[in-house]
Amino acid sequence: QELRDAEITRAVSQLAALLEDGAASAAEIWAKYDQLKIRRIVAFIPFEMWAGLLKACQQAPPPASSAWQARPGSALAMRRGDGGRRRSGRPEGGGGGGGAGHAWTRAMAKRRALMLLGDMWRSSGAEAAAPAAFHYNVVFDVICRDPAAAAEELLRLHRDMRLHGVQEDCVTFNTLLNGCRRLGAWGFFREIDDQVRRRDAWGITRMDAATWGTLVQGYRQCQDWRSVDQCVALASQACRAWGQPGGRGVRPTAELWSIIVNAYAARDMVPQMLAARRAMTGLGLAANAFTFGPVFAALHRMRRRLVRDRRDAWPAISHALREFEAMRSAGVAPNASILTNVVLTVGLNNPHAGEPAQSADSKDDATDQAQSADSMDDATNQAQSVDIAQPTDSTRSAVTSIGGSVARELEQLLARAHDPNIYATLLNVGARTGSYSDIQEVWQTLLAEAPHAPDALLTSLTLAAYMNALNACKMYEAAVEAFYAHAMPAPSGNEGRRDGSASTLRLRALDRPVYEAALMAFARTDRHRMCATVIRAMISKGVAPSVLALRYTLLPPDQAALARRPSASQYTRRWSLPLATARSVWSLVSDARRAVWAHGAGAASGHEQPVIVNDIAAQLIRIAAYARCVDFGEEVFAALRAEAAHFGPGQGEGCLPADLQCSPNVRTYTSMITLYGNDADLAGVARMWESMLRDGVEPNLHTYTSLVVALHKVALRRRWKDAQPPQDEGCARLPWESTQQDLVIGDIEGWIVDSAEAPGWLRRSASPRLDVPLSTLLLRYHALRIRDTLRGPEADLPEHVAAVEHSTADSIQRAMRVCHAVEAAGLTPDHRFHAALADFLDTCGDWSGAELVRRRMDGADLCRSAD
């Protein structure tokens, strides 16, 4: 009995240690709990520990691509006594179900929380150890975090809570309201609201600021504005009653009043919004950026409506001045959205100054309903009667300085409000934050202010910033529409029948950034033929193509953009630009570069940058290799050499960055080897290999792989064998005799294997020259070579037996050396390597060895993740 007590104490203490450990995952905690449950000692878990077990269900799940991994020495790792695998041979972390080792989801956490709550009820021997409202609150929160949860689950658990006689608290109702708001269960939301108010009136459960804020957010989300106004009125009365003798008030918080301000700002109810914000100051609450952000956004929209109706925008400007002064006094740092709205509200000119103010009859319906509602509080009614002072000389001078307390940087921005640079800056800010709504707000304001501005606002700078911002947000179709509307008219055909192609604001002269942004938009929307049209327009306008223009043209289509176009074709995993489009673009660029090379000026001055660089040339040569167009690839490679000669020898080393190098590097040479290999040009492969070594470019693993692939493909080997000249006139080459490509492969294989087997300090390069795909390639090559040798009709002749055996033994020895090199390099063979090894053993006649390899492939020790 004493030993059993000691075991129970040790097991419970281990569970407590896991709960206290911040690095412990939910899988480890549940694994330990399952051990206690199997041993039937769950009843000995202390009451305080159940809260930690339930809170473990609130942990965020790992990414979908990863599974729970047990830490060394943890309870889950010690539980896996068979190396982390079940007896069935399946990994502990794979599959579905509710085991502790499986990948964790929100649905599994929900089931685990409900199971823990049931175990707690079954193991509670006394009333003091029964679940309390706190435990149910945690389970409610876990259910709400599951995206697939339903409101009936919350309702069922709430009924179970009442059947067990557990008394709700304010946190319970707040959790239920938030859950219904997330799930969109508005009927249940109204029922909970009715219960909360009745219990508050009876004095059973007091409503707090968090509950009122949840009610306002919920009714705003379901567009029930009358309920929003009623909740705001009751919440403001409860906050004013706080601290008064005999009053049943609610402690006011900044979060509650920020929610109220945001609710008014969403409906553009400016007087009520400002009154709620000033009520915060009267209650001693500190406003933050979450409070002032909706305020300035609503004032910006108010100014736009006044300008659109040809009215004086001074009411919006004066309110913005006061609110900005209040924000500066409170010490709130403006964020990007606040700064944008302040600049667009205060910094712009007032084109209709002195026009009559907006009448009360022209207010929107939402404002009329809100003002006529009987539930408006005193602060709101007082704000409606606030008179807006007419602008004077002193107040107008405050527009530039914003009360004289604005930082110098913001003053400069406001002073240059009609400068295109300010709009370009705001568009760049929206691009960095990824806010499409902010980008559209700035652009619409620019279009509205452009007719009244003394200087041109729609310039190449602002248009390029707008299109680049749209590209950053992956709104490529909108960028194309902007280019058609303001830069270049749409051509005839399908592109000419696009909406919005006509516009009154069109630029006469375009700079290079506009064309580059258009090239990216066209390429990402799979309109690469339009890229050639844009480059042709650039050259006709005297704008030389840049390296960015070529890089954007070679971009693959965006998959998200293609998904929105039902007529778009689906590409394979590796996309390639069509050869015709590539040649059309290349002809335009090469003609422009030949004109530059003919002059020969500016290359050494540092004012010119290369256009044909290594990454662009490598992509174009790859396109030529796919199409087996050697002439096009050689033309690109010759142009790359001409570009390097134009900038002089060694010019790129000291003056040009790495991405603008135009001297052929290893990537370009590898593409050329692939080009000649696909065309079965062995002489071209050898010539390019010698040129690469002569220029001092060290081959890498991709170069060797491309070389071996180009030399040993079955179809190309047959074509090369047919094209091989006989040694003597009238004498054909025998199958086991090494061809020229076999000799080259043997040399490459010797270099690779020697570098893999040698110690690290003896290797000729720091980068590894052997990997699993290249080893698989070599095994398949030797298997094909042995198969060709043994299947020849001359192999059975007595005079050829010795030569056949020598060739076969040489291939077997080289294949085994490759396997030893893989082991020496510490590589992990995958499924393809084992399949190639099994085929090689079959070819050699070692069927038992091939069967052994295939058994390992089908076993639990080898996964097929590489496929």
Side-chain angles (χ1 to χ4, degrees), residues 232 264 269 271-272 275-276 370 376-385:
V232 168
Y264 284 134
M269 299 171 62
Q272 293 84 350
M376 285 298 170
D377 55 346
D378 298 337
T380 304
N381 294 329
Q382 183 180 0
Q384 295 178 10
S385 61

Side-chain angles (χ1 to χ4, degrees), residues 623-659:
I623 295 171
Y626 295 152
R628 296 186 181 180
C629 184
V630 180
D631 297 338
F632 179 50
E634 291 179 341
E635 181 183 352
V636 174
F637 190 74
L640 181 65
R641 288 188 177 275
E643 189 85 349
H646 176 69
F647 282 86
Q651 179 72 17
E653 296 293 334
C655 300
L656 297 176
D659 59 341

Side-chain angles (χ1 to χ4, degrees), residues 785-817:
R785 188 182 179 195
I786 294 174
R787 191 175 305 166
D788 292 344
T789 301
L790 297 179
R791 290 182 179 179
E794 300 87 354
D796 298 333
L797 298 179
E799 61 271 15
H800 296 157
V801 172
V804 171
E805 291 180 353
H806 180 271
S807 176
T808 305
D810 179 67
S811 298
I812 294 175
Q813 183 179 3
R814 290 167 60 182
M816 292 299 101
R817 192 182 177 193

Side-chain angles (χ1 to χ4, degrees), residues 90-348:
R90 298 181 60 184
E92 185 75 16
H102 292 81
W104 177 38
T105 60
R106 289 293 187 187
M108 186 181 298
K110 178 182 64 176
R111 293 195 298 269
R112 175 67 66 162
L114 294 173
M115 185 195 71
L116 289 174
L117 189 62
D119 293 343
M120 188 177 181
W121 274 114
R122 284 187 291 270
S123 61
S124 59
E127 184 177 355
F134 172 77
H135 303 93
Y136 276 93
N137 295 340
V138 176
V139 180
F140 283 134
D141 182 71
V142 172
I143 294 176
C144 296
R145 292 171 186 263
D146 183 16
E152 289 74 13
E153 299 181 43
L154 294 174
L155 181 60
R156 187 163 52 249
L157 184 60
H158 188 210
R159 291 174 180 173
D160 178 79
M161 180 180 182
R162 290 189 172 180
L163 288 176
H164 283 89
V166 180
Q167 185 68 28
E168 303 99 329
D169 56 5
C170 58
V171 180
T172 304
F173 289 108
N174 190 21
T175 306
L176 288 172
L177 290 172
N178 274 317
C180 296
R181 185 170 62 86
R182 294 176 186 174
L183 301 177
W186 303 117
F188 192 30
F189 184 89
R190 297 179 188 277
E191 293 181 8
I192 298 297
D193 180 20
D194 184 62
Q195 295 180 23
V196 171
R197 297 195 189 190
R198 283 192 280 108
R199 294 172 70 90
D200 181 74
W202 296 339
I204 301 176
T205 304
R206 297 296 183 184
M207 297 180 64
D208 57 356
T211 306
W212 283 115
T214 305
L215 289 174
V216 174
Q217 287 181 319
Y219 285 121
R220 177 192 169 188
Q221 185 175 347
C222 68
Q223 303 289 321
D224 189 354
W225 301 115
R226 185 176 184 83
S227 299
V228 169
D229 296 333
Q230 292 177 356
C231 291
V232 168
L234 294 175
S236 59
Q237 292 176 4
C239 290
R240 285 194 301 270
W242 174 259
Q244 295 182 2
R248 292 175 48 213
V250 173
R251 184 184 184 87
T253 60
E255 290 78 11
L256 171 61
W257 283 93
S258 298
I259 292 173
I260 294 175
V261 171
N262 201 349
Y264 284 134
R267 290 183 287 169
D268 294 334
M269 299 171 62
V270 175
Q272 293 84 350
M273 175 190 68
L274 298 177
R277 211 280 309 155
R278 292 165 189 168
M280 292 182 63
T281 306
L283 294 173
L285 303 176
N288 50 24
F290 178 74
T291 308
F292 284 102
V295 171
F296 288 109
L299 293 177
H300 176 214
R301 292 192 296 269
M302 177 182 177
R303 183 193 183 280
R304 288 180 56 187
R305 288 196 306 271
L306 293 175
V307 173
R308 185 175 61 247
D309 296 339
R310 299 183 179 275
R311 298 182 181 274
D312 191 0
W314 178 253
I317 297 174
S318 61
H319 286 319
L321 290 174
R322 296 175 186 176
E323 292 304 309
F324 192 86
E325 191 68 34
M327 184 182 66
R328 300 286 295 181
S329 302
V332 178
N335 54 25
S337 299
I338 293 178
L339 179 62
T340 301
N341 289 313
V342 168
V343 171
L344 296 179
T345 304
V346 180
L348 300 179

Side-chain angles (χ1 to χ4, degrees), residues 577-588 620 629 631-632 635:
L577 186 69
L579 178 64
T581 306
R583 301 201 72 156
S584 177
V585 173
W586 173 252
S587 63
L588 297 172
L620 292 173
C629 184
D631 297 338
F632 179 50
E635 181 183 352

Side-chain angles (χ1 to χ4, degrees), residues 376-686:
M376 285 298 170
D377 55 346
D378 298 337
T380 304
N381 294 329
Q382 183 180 0
Q384 295 178 10
S385 61
V386 174
D387 296 332
I388 300 176
Q390 294 298 321
T392 60
D393 295 338
S394 59
T395 55
R396 288 188 183 279
S397 63
V399 174
T400 306
S401 61
I402 308 191
S405 60
V406 187
R408 183 175 299 275
E409 292 80 8
L410 187 55
E411 290 181 1
Q412 294 176 358
L413 289 177
L414 296 176
R416 297 185 297 112
H418 278 101
D419 188 351
N421 293 310
I422 181 63
Y423 287 96
T425 302
L426 296 175
L427 289 170
N428 292 332
V429 170
R432 286 194 298 269
T433 58
S435 177
Y436 178 70
S437 59
D438 291 345
I439 295 172
Q440 289 297 330
E441 288 285 341
V442 175
W443 184 251
Q444 294 300 325
T445 304
L446 184 146
L447 296 180
E449 295 293 334
H452 312 291
D455 299 327
L457 295 182
L458 182 60
T459 61
S460 295
L461 175 66
T462 53
L463 181 59
Y466 176 58
M467 294 176 63
N468 285 324
L470 293 176
N471 290 335
C473 296
K474 296 186 178 181
M475 304 298 295
Y476 304 112
E477 291 288 349
V480 170
E481 296 293 343
F483 183 73
Y484 283 150
H486 305 290
M488 189 177 73
S492 59
N494 294 332
E495 293 290 338
R497 293 193 295 267
R498 304 177 63 85
D499 296 335
S501 60
S503 175
T504 56
L505 296 176
R506 189 179 296 276
L507 295 177
R508 296 181 179 272
L510 299 176
D511 294 337
R512 184 181 290 111
V514 178
Y515 290 112
E516 292 173 350
L519 289 172
M520 173 180 277
F522 282 121
R524 300 301 274 175
T525 54
D526 196 21
R527 300 191 185 104
H528 291 83
R529 288 184 296 179
M530 282 299 301
C531 293
T533 305
V534 173
I535 294 178
R536 188 178 294 107
M538 289 178 62
I539 298 175
S540 64
K541 297 295 183 181
V543 181
S546 62
V547 63
L548 282 180
L550 281 178
R551 284 175 177 162
Y552 291 157
T553 303
L554 296 175
L555 285 175
D558 182 67
Q559 296 299 328
L562 288 176
R564 293 192 293 267
R565 297 178 57 203
S567 60
S569 59
Q570 299 296 327
Y571 295 103
T572 58
R573 182 168 48 186
R574 188 163 187 173
W575 175 86
S576 176
L577 186 69
L579 178 64
T581 306
R583 301 201 72 156
S584 177
V585 173
W586 173 252
S587 63
L588 297 172
V589 176
S590 60
D591 292 342
R593 295 307 297 170
R594 288 193 188 95
V596 176
W597 299 337
H599 289 81
S605 61
H607 300 291
E608 184 184 353
Q609 289 185 348
V611 176
I612 305 174
V613 294
N614 279 295
D615 59 332
I616 293 175
Q619 292 186 61
L620 292 173
I621 294 171
R622 288 278 182 182
I623 295 171
Y626 295 152
R628 296 186 181 180
C629 184
V630 180
D631 297 338
F632 179 50
E634 291 179 341
E635 181 183 352
V636 174
F637 190 74
L640 181 65
R641 288 188 177 275
E643 189 85 349
H646 176 69
F647 282 86
Q651 179 72 17
E653 296 293 334
C655 300
L656 297 176
D659 59 341
L660 293 180
Q661 296 294 324
C662 49
S663 297
N665 59 4
V666 63
R667 182 179 178 184
T668 310
Y669 277 112
T670 303
S671 301
M672 289 298 297
I673 290 173
T674 304
L675 172 70
Y676 287 120
N678 288 358
D679 195 56
D681 188 357
L682 188 60
V685 172

